[in-house]
Amino acid sequence: RAGLTVLARMDSTRTYEGVFREHPDWYARDARGEPFKAGDLYTVCVNGPWVKECVPAILREVATRYRPDGFTDNSWSGLGQRQVCYCEHCRTGFRDAAGLELPARVDWDDAAYRAWVRWSYARRIEIWDAYNATTRAAGGPGQLRVGRRAGRGSGHKTTRKVRPRSPRSRARTRGAHGRPGPAPVPRQPPAPAW
């Protein structure tokens, strides 16, 4: 460990089919009710129990059992802004927050879609802050949560809000067609609280 920072790498919004079969209500759904998938993995809804309960429990376990210096997550923010989740958690959450039904489609001319984008962005920042609070409570105040800058086409552009919350920011490590991408971008860590 001499001089190395050890980060636990997560992919907290995708699971295997077995988990999907046991808990289908945890997953993001398209307008037809079909689950979103990324390859063989199923994409969870960021407003459901997986993100609100299971991921924090996993973060606590990793922080206390393995004591990494921090965490990085390849896929912490879920679906992008070009994919509306129509699961019951999103229907209820958006209706409660905005007083509107979910937008019927991705359409910047639709006021409901613009309200949904704002709501979705705010939810991503809530998730980031909740995960930070969880890892720092379990692993100590110096626990790092390294931000992954959104890549082209990734959807939610929360970088400006996440960057001040992260002592470091990282870009994709794979470029187009599997070639190496840009190197991590160091940021000035915050002054210690002590």
Side-chain angles (χ1 to χ4, degrees), residues 14 17 21 28 34-43 79 83:
R14 295 190 180 106
E17 185 175 3
R21 297 281 173 226
E34 296 298 318
F36 283 97
K37 289 180 72 178
D40 291 336
L41 301 176
Y42 289 78
T43 303
L79 298 174
Q83 297 171 304

Side-chain angles (χ1 to χ4, degrees), residues 146-177:
V146 178
R148 180 182 178 279
R149 296 187 318 215
R152 187 173 150 212
S154 64
H156 290 287
K157 304 299 182 197
T158 54
T159 302
R160 275 185 268 146
K161 299 265 185 183
V162 166
R163 188 170 283 154
R165 292 165 160 81
S166 178
R168 298 221 188 308
S169 177
R170 75 177 177 90
R172 288 179 181 242
T173 56
R174 287 172 295 166
H177 311 292

Side-chain angles (χ1 to χ4, degrees), residues 14 26 29 37 41 49 52 94 103 106 124 130 140 164 171 179 190:
R14 295 190 180 106
W26 290 358
R29 302 292 180 146
K37 289 180 72 178
L41 301 176
K52 292 179 179 180
F94 185 63
V106 173
R124 272 47 180 202
R179 292 189 294 265

Side-chain angles (χ1 to χ4, degrees), residues 1-12:
R1 283 224 312 154
L4 293 177
T5 299
V6 177
L7 300 176
R9 191 244 189 225
M10 308 285 290
D11 191 342
S12 60

Side-chain angles (χ1 to χ4, degrees), residues 59-145:
L59 292 171
R60 279 190 293 278
E61 178 181 349
V62 172
T64 56
R65 183 179 289 187
Y66 302 104
R67 310 302 287 175
D69 296 309
F71 290 82
T72 185
D73 196 320
N74 190 52
S75 183
W76 65 274
S77 61
L79 298 174
Q81 70 186 22
R82 294 183 194 104
Q83 297 171 304
V84 177
C85 175
Y86 292 93
C87 79
E88 195 54 42
H89 303 291
C90 286
R91 289 180 190 282
T92 303
F94 185 63
R95 189 180 309 117
D96 291 350
L100 299 168
E101 296 302 316
L102 288 168
R105 65 188 168 286
V106 173
D107 179 1
W108 284 102
D109 292 329
D110 180 5
Y113 176 71
R114 292 190 308 271
W116 175 82
V117 168
R118 286 189 299 274
W119 175 73
S120 292
Y121 281 18
R123 179 67 188 123
R124 272 47 180 202
I125 298 306
E126 289 172 10
I127 292 167
W128 186 267
D129 289 343
Y131 288 179
N132 266 338
T134 299
T135 57
R136 288 186 176 140
Q143 186 77 233
L144 297 172
R145 182 142 177 91

